[in-house]
Amino acid sequence: MWPRSPGELLDVQRRLAATEPLAWTPPSGALAIAGCAVRFPRGVSGAGSAGDPAWAAAAVLRGRVLLAESAVAGQAGAPYAPGLLALREGPALQGAVEALGVVPDALLVDATGRDHPRRAGLALHLGAVLDLPTVGVTHRPLVAEGAWPEDVRGAWSELVLDGERVGAWLRTRPGVRPVAVHAAWRTSVDVAVEVVLAATGGHRTPEPLRGARRLARTARSA
């Protein structure tokens, strides 16, 4: 289900980018939103290597209520390379989400979606594999550009790539740097922003992602 070489991944990314899945409309009421993250050994420098130990985790919350969490150990599939993150992290993240035992309404991924040279970053790819609506949440865009929004919670501004709106800068808290939100599998920019705001409490980062990162760090330290 996951490519094993850069050439295979490029082909899959192009096919995914050309796919037009049914757009997802969030249901009414509080959403069950999951986040997933992966951590590698401390002290690994540079791009790392195939076979590096990996600890992936996922957490799903409905509002502030934790519904399920999981952590799994695995291996990196490849060194890190820009635009090819699925080779390194994809299988581990899939394992963590499937281990939840709960199917979330949407999944937040620490990766890009349509903001990608081939319009198919890991957040989009993982959603296609899991058949889940996904949203990417990162500290900065990959290749898209856009001005920051005003300093008010909920304010957002477009991230544009080659004239196409692919994401947004979103202010989740005033007085701190906005996060980059990415349309991914079955999600538009507007829906992606809605989901991230729904999942964000008093911190800059959405709570499901914060929980997944904490779990992955704990698993690494065990």
Side-chain angles (χ1 to χ4, degrees):
M1 298 181 68
W2 291 95
R4 299 196 175 201
S5 71
E8 290 178 2
L9 179 56
L10 295 182
D11 288 342
V12 171
Q13 288 175 338
R14 294 186 183 104
R15 289 200 301 270
L16 287 173
T19 302
E20 296 183 2
L22 182 66
W24 176 66
T25 300
S28 58
L31 298 174
I33 303 174
C36 59
V38 61
R39 291 291 180 265
F40 298 100
R42 293 185 181 89
V44 173
S45 60
S49 303
D52 286 341
W55 295 268
V60 55
L61 291 85
R62 191 186 305 277
R64 295 186 178 182
V65 178
L66 178 66
L67 301 181
E69 59 185 18
S70 66
V72 299
Q75 292 183 335
Y80 168 77
L84 303 177
L85 187 60
L87 289 177
R88 183 163 177 82
E89 297 187 4
L93 291 175
Q94 178 187 356
V97 176
E98 290 180 338
L100 282 171
V102 171
V103 179
D105 293 310
L107 175 65
L108 305 180
V109 188
D110 186 8
T112 69
R114 298 288 179 185
D115 174 18
H116 185 273
R118 289 165 295 282
R119 304 298 196 277
L122 174 56
L124 186 146
H125 193 158
L126 184 62
V129 170
L130 293 169
D131 192 25
L132 284 174
T134 51
V135 175
V137 183
T138 62
H139 294 299
R140 60 185 62 83
L142 182 59
V143 285
E145 296 181 340
W148 281 11
E150 61 179 312
D151 192 15
V152 177
R153 173 177 162 79
W156 62 278
S157 54
E158 295 180 348
L159 287 170
V160 177
L161 177 59
D162 296 333
E164 178 186 357
R165 191 175 69 156
V166 295
W169 281 118
L170 172 63
R171 194 78 71 169
T172 54
R173 282 184 61 194
V176 298
R177 180 186 175 94
V179 295
V181 174
H182 305 272
W185 188 249
R186 298 186 62 198
T187 56
S188 65
V189 174
D190 299 76
V191 165
V193 168
E194 178 183 344
V195 170
V196 172
L197 278 175
T200 304
H203 300 277
R204 174 175 176 262
T205 304
E207 295 304 323
L209 271 182
R210 283 171 47 82
R213 290 169 180 169
R214 181 175 62 253
L215 283 167
R217 289 193 300 268
T218 300
R220 179 178 60 185
S221 301

